[in-house]
Amino acid sequence: MKKILLFIIAAVIAVSTLTACESKPVFTIYNWEQYIDESVVEEFRKAHPDVDVVYETFSTNEDMYTKLKNGGGDYDVIFPSEYVLKKLIDEGELAELNPDNIPNLKHIAEQCKGQDYDPEGKYTVPYMWGTLGIIYDKTKVTEDEITWDVLFGTKYKVIMMKSIRDAFAAALASDGCSINSKNEAEVVAAREKLSKQMKQDNFYGYGFDDIDDKMIRGEADAALIYSGDAITAMRENKNLAYSVPKEGSNKWFDAMAIPKSSKNKELAEEFINFMCETKNAKLNADEIGYYVAQDEAAALVAQETGIEYPAVSELENCEIFETFDDKTLELYNKEWTKLFA
């Protein structure tokens, strides 16, 4: 009888344990691919054993936005770029932050605050920032000044970034147009420039997260790239350099935000605060190479690597991507589709 009783008790405990595991609250982080030191996520996971911390990634802002809006994921913290953040704020999709739960806001660099997409910082906390420019092999590209002609001319083997806003930004800026152009003739001309580029013998192809590796291996002479990926590649290949073309380009900000649909808002704010701790911000900056918005971490990076961040105020010929209305989005999407037809 005692053995039977012990068996019943053990079975009840097992079922209770299984039920407890199955009922763990799920906390989901949605970030860019290759955009964090995985040990930071693991540290947060260890600090919250009673929570199922899920980490998912996206490749483009547009993919992230579509999935969020279509209910494809139940996310607690997201990491979009400024133009998508502005759209989400305007659409009422983001929760207003409680700064009392994020004391490490004091470490966010002043030059990253007050941007047009969230001027009062009610909904977002800056994570990383940077520029869109050209990475090139200094032994092959010997121009006195880097311009967009490096990519659109015929002298160098080049790689383009398969990202609608970034590819069009390069083509528009090379023609002296705003990277936020809503003028149909300018957008069509930009697409025609991209089409012409694709047909040139020196065109290597389109890429995205693999561009830095291709440049490290010397597969091309120049490529369109984000500044952080360029820094990562330059660490591996000393022949590489990075420049924002003299005609201007895009300066961007990626920030952390909480969807209004989050069921774990206070834990989400705790995670954002955790990400803003100097140790964690530094780990992330070291891992991915982008300009970190946390001032103490940025100072440590500069001290250790000698890489000084540019001042945002020095990038006056660069623009932040604006949020497009539906008509403009349709125009860009139509021309982008034509490019690969």
Side-chain angles (χ1 to χ4, degrees):
M1 177 64 73
K2 188 180 288 186
K3 288 182 179 179
I4 293 174
L5 183 60
L6 288 173
F7 176 79
I8 293 171
I9 292 171
V12 170
I13 292 172
V15 171
S16 299
T17 302
L18 181 61
T19 302
C21 290
E22 289 176 347
S23 63
K24 260 188 180 184
V26 177
F27 179 78
T28 306
I29 304 157
Y30 198 30
N31 195 4
W32 291 86
E33 294 175 355
Q34 302 176 0
Y35 209 41
I36 202 169
D37 186 311
E38 292 181 5
S39 70
V40 174
V41 178
E42 190 56 36
E43 189 69 24
F44 188 79
R45 189 175 279 124
K46 288 178 182 177
H48 297 83
D50 298 329
V51 178
D52 184 8
V53 178
V54 176
Y55 186 82
E56 296 184 10
T57 62
F58 56 86
S59 297
T60 69
N61 277 297
E62 289 70 26
D63 289 345
M64 184 282 310
Y65 176 82
T66 299
K67 193 170 182 183
L68 183 68
K69 291 289 287 186
N70 291 343
D74 195 6
Y75 302 115
D76 295 294
V77 179
I78 56 176
F79 290 71
S81 299
E82 70 293 315
Y83 68 99
V84 173
L85 285 163
K86 178 68 165 62
K87 187 174 179 64
L88 291 170
I89 291 170
D90 291 345
E91 293 172 348
E93 296 287 349
L94 300 184
E96 191 167 332
L97 302 175
N98 181 355
D100 292 338
N101 292 334
I102 315 174
N104 285 322
L105 282 173
K106 64 186 178 183
H107 295 308
I108 299 300
E110 288 300 319
Q111 69 170 356
C112 294
K113 296 178 181 177
Q115 300 298 324
D116 289 345
Y117 65 91
D118 185 15
E120 297 180 30
K122 287 184 177 181
Y123 302 94
T124 65
V125 175
Y127 175 54
M128 299 284 170
W129 70 280
T131 53
L132 176 71
I134 298 175
I135 187 171
Y136 59 97
D137 187 327
K138 293 180 290 186
T139 67
K140 299 174 181 177
V141 179
T142 56
E143 309 295 320
D144 293 333
E145 198 167 27
I146 298 300
T147 71
W148 287 115
D149 284 345
V150 170
L151 292 186
F152 291 104
T154 58
K155 290 174 64 176
Y156 307 109
K157 183 184 289 187
V158 301
I159 303 172
M160 285 295 286
M161 191 185 298
K162 196 167 186 180
S163 166
I164 183 170
R165 290 299 298 265
D166 298 309
F168 269 103
L172 286 163
S174 72
D175 284 338
C177 303
S178 167
I179 64 173
N180 295 302
S181 176
K182 300 175 180 65
N183 182 291
E184 183 172 0
E186 292 179 350
V187 175
V188 170
R191 190 266 302 159
E192 289 173 345
K193 172 166 275 196
L194 292 168
S195 296
K196 178 182 177 183
Q197 179 193 50
M198 289 177 73
K199 296 170 184 174
Q200 294 171 176
D201 292 339
N202 63 309
F203 184 68
Y204 183 97
Y206 273 88
F208 197 77
D209 286 327
D210 58 344
I211 291 176
D212 52 349
D213 289 332
K214 290 181 185 299
M215 291 301 298
I216 290 169
R217 294 193 295 266
E219 294 181 25
D221 303 331
L224 182 66
I225 200 168
Y226 299 132
S227 54
D229 290 336
I231 289 172
T232 299
M234 288 158 59
R235 289 172 179 166
E236 299 294 323
N237 185 336
K238 301 304 180 184
N239 288 332
L240 298 176
Y242 172 79
S243 181
V244 175
K246 72 171 187 176
E247 300 97 329
S249 185
N250 166 236
K251 60 183 175 185
W252 52 262
F253 296 87
D254 290 340
M256 297 174 280
I258 303 173
K260 191 171 282 186
S261 59
S262 170
K263 300 178 179 65
N264 306 288
K265 183 173 182 290
E266 288 191 3
L267 185 58
E269 290 169 334
E270 182 182 339
F271 176 76
I272 291 173
N273 190 62
F274 176 79
M275 291 286 282
C276 293
E277 289 180 11
T278 300
K279 179 189 74 171
N280 296 326
K282 172 69 163 46
L283 283 169
N284 290 328
D286 287 342
E287 176 67 21
I288 67 178
Y290 286 89
Y291 305 149
V292 63
Q294 208 266 24
D295 54 6
E296 290 186 348
L300 289 171
V301 170
Q303 180 181 327
E304 292 180 9
T305 66
I307 297 174
E308 294 283 350
Y309 292 0
V312 172
S313 59
E314 293 175 355
L315 302 170
E316 293 180 354
N317 65 335
C318 292
E319 300 175 78
I320 291 175
F321 280 136
E322 295 175 3
T323 304
F324 284 156
D325 56 30
D326 290 342
K327 181 180 178 182
T328 306
L329 277 174
E330 184 180 350
L331 169 63
Y332 275 78
N333 287 331
K334 180 181 71 174
E335 294 304 315
W336 184 247
T337 301
K338 283 183 183 178
L339 182 62
F340 296 101

